[in-house]
Amino acid sequence: MAQSFESWWEKLGPITKIILVLSVCITIVGSSGVVSPYKLIVDFNLTVFSFQIWRIVTAAFYLGNFSFPWLMALAMLVTYVKLHEESEFQGRRADFVWMLTLLITFLTVVAWIFSLPLVSFALTMSLCWIFCKRNPTAKLSIYFFEFSANIFPWALLAFHVVLGQSVMDDVAGIVAGHGFLFLHDMLPKTHGMKLVETPQFIKTWIPHQRLFGSVHSGVHAVAPAGRQPLNEQPAHRNWGQGRVLGTR
């Protein structure tokens, strides 16, 4: 029996809902012509020296203009945010928000260095990497090919290479995700160092609350479609081709 949108919406966690609405709203703004897409992407000089701080947020959740590839990209982003919120961060909203903050911050710096226009696709890959490493027995698929989660990100990256797509976002996302796992999961066990613990003020601002059941043991993903280019591109930018990662 098909699930209604209302039922599906009610099952989403608050952070997943916020990211979904935020991404859709940013897309509406960029697609409608109210704001130039260029005002939503990464730009170091304008962010730092003109105080256009909103670019850090918009570049993290802008997936291009409305299209089928955009829909697939949004579904993937929502899927991995939802999986994290329902599994490792069940009842730990503050910790999840802090992880997202760290990932976006790191990826924004990488985007500044390598002139990447958006952070959203790399963020999605970083969430995929973290989920797969923490749930290595989960099953995910690219079209008709199923992979264990422990090798799924590499299979997805290889698929992008075969399609001739840019893998810079994938690589940046993998580095960010692995870096977080090293600092958050490994260092405390091997050296007793807790370098990325959630600050107390965030825990006070976002109280923990248990909301969900356990994560599903099996996750299915669909293969990527090419990322839609933005309508307006500055001449010095190399946008390349993007991708959509897996979704359930």
Side-chain angles (χ1 to χ4, degrees):
M1 183 176 180
Q3 181 178 217
S4 67
F5 176 81
E6 291 79 7
S7 176
W8 174 79
W9 176 261
E10 287 300 321
K11 292 179 181 179
L12 296 180
I15 296 175
T16 306
K17 287 180 179 178
I18 290 171
I19 289 177
L20 172 58
V21 171
L22 181 61
S23 185
V24 171
C25 289
I26 292 172
T27 301
I28 291 174
V29 170
S31 300
S32 63
V34 174
V35 174
S36 166
Y38 180 64
K39 294 185 180 295
L40 305 174
I41 66 174
V42 172
D43 190 298
F44 175 80
N45 291 329
L46 292 176
T47 300
V48 175
F49 300 113
S50 296
F51 303 103
Q52 295 184 7
I53 306 300
W54 69 79
R55 288 176 180 269
I56 296 175
V57 176
T58 57
F61 299 109
Y62 184 35
L63 298 162
N65 294 335
F66 289 116
S67 65
F68 181 72
W70 169 84
L71 183 62
M72 296 298 293
L74 179 65
M76 197 304 264
L77 176 61
V78 169
T79 294
Y80 279 102
V81 172
K82 180 175 182 288
L83 287 173
H84 279 286
E85 192 169 12
E86 292 180 353
S87 56
E88 289 91 348
F89 296 98
Q90 182 184 99
R92 296 164 50 219
R93 297 180 193 171
D95 294 333
F96 190 25
V97 170
W98 180 239
M99 184 186 81
L100 288 171
T101 301
L102 291 176
L103 291 175
I104 291 172
T105 300
F106 174 81
L107 290 172
T108 298
V109 174
V110 171
W112 285 342
I113 295 173
F114 293 99
S115 298
L116 298 177
L118 295 173
V119 172
S120 52
F121 297 97
L123 174 63
T124 303
M125 177 56 107
S126 68
L127 292 174
C128 171
W129 179 267
I130 293 170
F131 175 80
C132 288
K133 290 304 177 183
R134 287 178 169 174
N135 300 273
T137 60
K139 299 296 182 181
L140 302 99
S141 59
I142 303 175
Y143 286 120
F144 305 108
F145 302 98
E146 187 174 86
F147 301 90
S148 296
N150 61 342
I151 65 170
F152 179 76
W154 297 115
L156 197 55
L157 188 149
F159 187 76
H160 294 153
V161 172
V162 171
L163 292 180
Q165 297 178 345
S166 170
V167 296
M168 187 61 202
D169 291 321
D170 289 338
V171 173
I174 289 172
V175 171
H178 193 74
F180 177 82
L181 288 175
F182 176 76
L183 294 174
H184 187 274
D185 295 5
M186 297 175 62
L187 272 186
K189 295 178 181 179
T190 58
H191 295 82
M193 301 172 63
K194 298 181 179 180
L195 302 180
V196 292
E197 285 292 293
T198 307
Q200 186 58 46
F201 76 89
I202 294 182
K203 293 182 179 180
T204 301
W205 180 46
I206 309 175
H208 291 356
Q209 184 175 346
R210 187 179 183 84
L211 296 173
F212 309 103
S214 59
V215 66
H216 297 288
S217 59
V219 181
H220 295 282
V222 296
R227 182 171 65 188
Q228 177 189 10
L230 303 183
N231 288 336
E232 181 175 335
Q233 303 177 15
H236 64 281
R237 295 278 181 173
N238 180 14
W239 294 83
Q241 297 181 39
R243 83 290 301 145
V244 178
L245 303 180
T247 184
R248 181 180 295 182

